[in-house]
Amino acid sequence: MAKGRFITFEGIDGAGKSTQVEVIHQTIVARGIEVVRTREPGGTPLSEKIRKLLLTQSMEPSTETLLFFASRAEHIAKVIKPSVERGAWVLSDRFTDATYAYQVGGRGFPASKVEALEAWTQEGFGPDLTVLFDIDPEVAARRVAKARNLDRFEKESLDFFTRVRNAYLERARQNPDRFLIIDSMRDKETVSDELRRIFSTWD
Ligand code: TYD
């Protein structure tokens, strides 16, 4: 059987990622492809426990970064790699680019330490495609405030999210072949239409 694909979805909180990942999921399933939908932090029973800690407890930046990678190591070994090897397409709501954006960009954690953890736990493994939902942090904050109770990350300042957004855009500039940037300032239906068009043929 042919190898599957690993696609990740990124963006600051409030970019409309969840809605649009659902649209992409349906579009790929309609092609008769097996899709495994997952998320970070999370994606395995143990990683979901780590997720709960990350979203509710305050902790040292190094503890936070290590927990994201601990959760990720489980996720890669138990879910992502076996699924891709079986021929499925894995869709993950966030992955390592989020650590560069939130912990390095947002919190100022050293990039060199994240690079070391990435090399150690992933050994060159990573996404085939990363879709970045890009949005002005002020617009995103208004959307998030309306929609839900805020978790530990969503309570961060506008400055924090501006740094996170810029770090994502910088990751995209450094990896132009892997990244697809989606302008999420447009209305929902326009974005969904564009994604249906792209993912009805993307390979
Ligand atoms: P997410 O599941 O997108 O939140 P929600 O369920 O509220 O949509 O992600 C949880 C939070 O974790 C999000 O604010 C971003 C943060 N995060 C990091 O800071 N670093 C990481 O490596 C990952 C994967 C997520």
Side-chain angles (χ1 to χ4, degrees):
M1 171 162 279
K3 205 173 147 292
R5 304 277 182 280
F6 178 34
I7 306 176
T8 60
F9 303 92
E10 300 284 357
I12 62 172
D13 299 273
K17 191 163 41 70
S18 312
T19 315
Q20 304 299 352
V21 173
E22 184 56 30
V23 169
I24 294 169
H25 184 168
Q26 296 310 328
T27 307
I28 297 171
V29 165
R31 293 164 63 181
I33 295 165
E34 183 199 350
V35 172
V36 174
R37 177 92 169 266
T38 186
R39 68 171 179 184
E40 289 207 350
T44 78
L46 176 55
S47 303
E48 290 290 331
K49 286 188 183 166
I50 299 174
R51 175 188 177 90
K52 208 162 179 191
L53 295 173
L54 280 163
L55 296 191
T56 58
Q57 311 279 307
S58 69
M59 59 184 81
E60 293 298 313
S62 54
T63 312
E64 183 177 283
T65 304
L66 287 164
L67 284 176
F68 276 114
F69 274 102
S71 153
R72 186 163 296 137
E74 278 293 305
H75 192 209
I76 293 169
K78 302 258 165 59
V79 176
I80 304 174
K81 273 192 175 168
S83 305
V84 171
E85 274 156 24
R86 192 173 73 228
W89 286 28
V90 176
L91 307 185
S92 183
D93 195 328
R94 301 191 187 283
F95 194 65
T96 306
D97 294 304
T99 311
Y100 283 100
Y102 282 77
Q103 279 63 51
V104 177
R107 301 234 193 275
F109 193 77
S112 59
K113 292 191 178 176
V114 172
E115 283 160 10
L117 289 168
E118 180 184 19
W120 178 42
T121 57
Q122 297 176 220
E123 299 178 313
F125 177 80
D128 300 301
L129 173 71
T130 298
V131 181
L132 173 58
F133 295 96
D134 182 54
I135 187 171
D136 180 305
E138 259 179 83
V139 176
R142 277 201 293 274
R143 287 189 189 171
V144 171
K146 254 194 240 158
R148 53 190 180 237
N149 292 330
L150 305 185
D151 67 35
R152 197 163 68 83
F153 292 94
E154 289 164 344
K155 286 182 188 144
E156 289 287 348
S157 65
L158 206 55
D159 276 358
F160 177 87
F161 283 108
T162 302
R163 292 196 298 276
V164 173
R165 180 200 198 183
N166 289 337
Y168 269 133
L169 291 171
E170 183 54 30
R171 295 283 296 163
R173 261 192 296 276
Q174 287 166 0
N175 302 276
D177 296 340
R178 172 164 67 87
F179 270 85
L180 170 66
I181 300 179
I182 298 293
D183 171 8
S184 301
M185 296 290 281
R186 299 167 298 167
D187 74 84
K188 237 185 192 168
E189 264 317 302
T190 309
V191 175
S192 298
D193 285 346
E194 180 182 10
L195 292 170
R196 279 190 203 98
R197 197 164 38 70
I198 293 169
F199 284 93
S200 58
T201 57
W202 183 86
D203 204 13

